[in-house]
Amino acid sequence: MLDSNFNAKLGDFGLARLVDHGKQSQSTVLAGTMGYMAPECGTTRKASKETDVYSFGIVALEIACGRKPIVVNMERDQINIVEWVWKLYGEGRVIEAADPKLCGDFDEKQVERLIIVGLWCAHLDCVMRPSIQQAIQVLNFEVPVPILPSKFPVATYSAFAVSFSKFSDNNTGSNRGQSKPSANGYSSQFTTSSTTDS
């Protein structure tokens, strides 16, 4: 999308909204591109500031790493950009995620900040995501980079997990707690609590 001065702007064409002046906007059918939608969209079917922040984080990672969010023909641990970069972050090698086409010709501190902000915004727990203002402050070197968990957080959906577990127990008796692939490329753990290190 371009503004009146032909400056590039980001836009989400996957959200169809019905707007009535004086009333709150209402989402109709939520749709979007795989990899850019926050994982909670699959269960809540709603857009929010937090889901917008998630998408911003994915775009930041895409710019820094020079690849799409989901690449199915890559190694298993590299298919999803967030999981792959988070692993490098936990190993202290996050700068290795930088776009190889740059051939190392970039400011490492700037790229490192962009990558870490991308991970922060794409945190699976929407409560842990920053506001856009906080993200911009880090990118502008106004505040230090956040310290994220060294291990990739596990997505949990409590209400869905309970019903899924009951269904699994009644049918197979052995599926509780197993990872299931989801449409956004994550393996979501069906448990009733989140487990991340601090």
Side-chain angles (χ1 to χ4, degrees):
M1 296 177 64
L2 301 176
D3 64 13
S4 58
N5 295 318
F6 296 97
N7 295 311
K9 300 289 184 182
L10 291 176
D12 188 343
F13 296 95
L15 290 176
R17 291 184 174 275
L18 296 175
V19 179
D20 187 1
H21 292 290
K23 295 183 179 180
Q24 201 170 24
S25 64
Q26 181 181 7
S27 292
T28 54
V29 177
L30 188 63
T33 307
M34 185 174 73
Y36 295 92
M37 294 181 66
E40 66 268 19
C41 288
T43 53
T44 65
R45 309 298 295 171
K46 293 180 181 178
S48 65
K49 289 180 181 178
E50 290 77 19
T51 59
D52 287 346
V53 168
Y54 180 90
S55 298
F56 175 83
I58 296 299
V59 172
L61 290 174
E62 189 175 19
I63 292 169
C65 303
R67 53 155 286 184
K68 294 182 180 297
I70 305 293
V71 183
V72 295
N73 62 348
M74 296 189 76
E75 302 268 334
R76 184 185 178 107
D77 62 349
Q78 295 182 15
I79 292 175
N80 184 294
I81 193 171
V82 182
E83 291 189 42
W84 169 59
V85 177
W86 211 301
K87 182 175 184 291
L88 292 175
Y89 173 81
E91 296 171 353
R93 302 185 297 131
V94 73
I95 201 66
E96 292 181 21
D99 188 347
K101 293 188 290 293
L102 296 175
C103 300
D105 186 20
F106 54 84
D107 185 315
E108 286 196 9
K109 290 184 178 179
Q110 288 182 343
V111 172
E112 182 180 43
R113 277 184 178 250
L114 181 60
I115 293 173
I116 292 174
V117 166
L119 289 178
W120 190 22
C121 292
H123 199 294
L124 294 193
D125 186 347
C126 62
V127 177
M128 301 301 293
R129 294 175 201 151
S131 65
I132 287 296
Q133 182 181 12
Q134 290 173 314
I136 297 302
Q137 286 176 333
V138 176
L139 291 175
N140 287 335
F141 289 82
E142 295 172 6
V143 295
V145 293
I147 298 174
L148 304 175
S150 60
K151 292 183 180 179
F152 183 65
V154 176
T156 57
Y157 311 103
S158 300
F160 180 69
V162 173
S163 60
F164 180 85
S165 296
K166 287 179 180 177
F167 174 81
S168 299
D169 290 343
N170 290 338
N171 288 276
T172 65
S174 60
N175 288 338
R176 179 175 290 189
Q178 290 184 358
S179 295
K180 300 290 181 181
S182 61
N184 59 16
Y186 289 111
S187 293
S188 299
Q189 187 73 23
F190 293 104
T191 57
T192 54
S193 62
S194 175
T195 55
T196 59
D197 60 351
S198 54

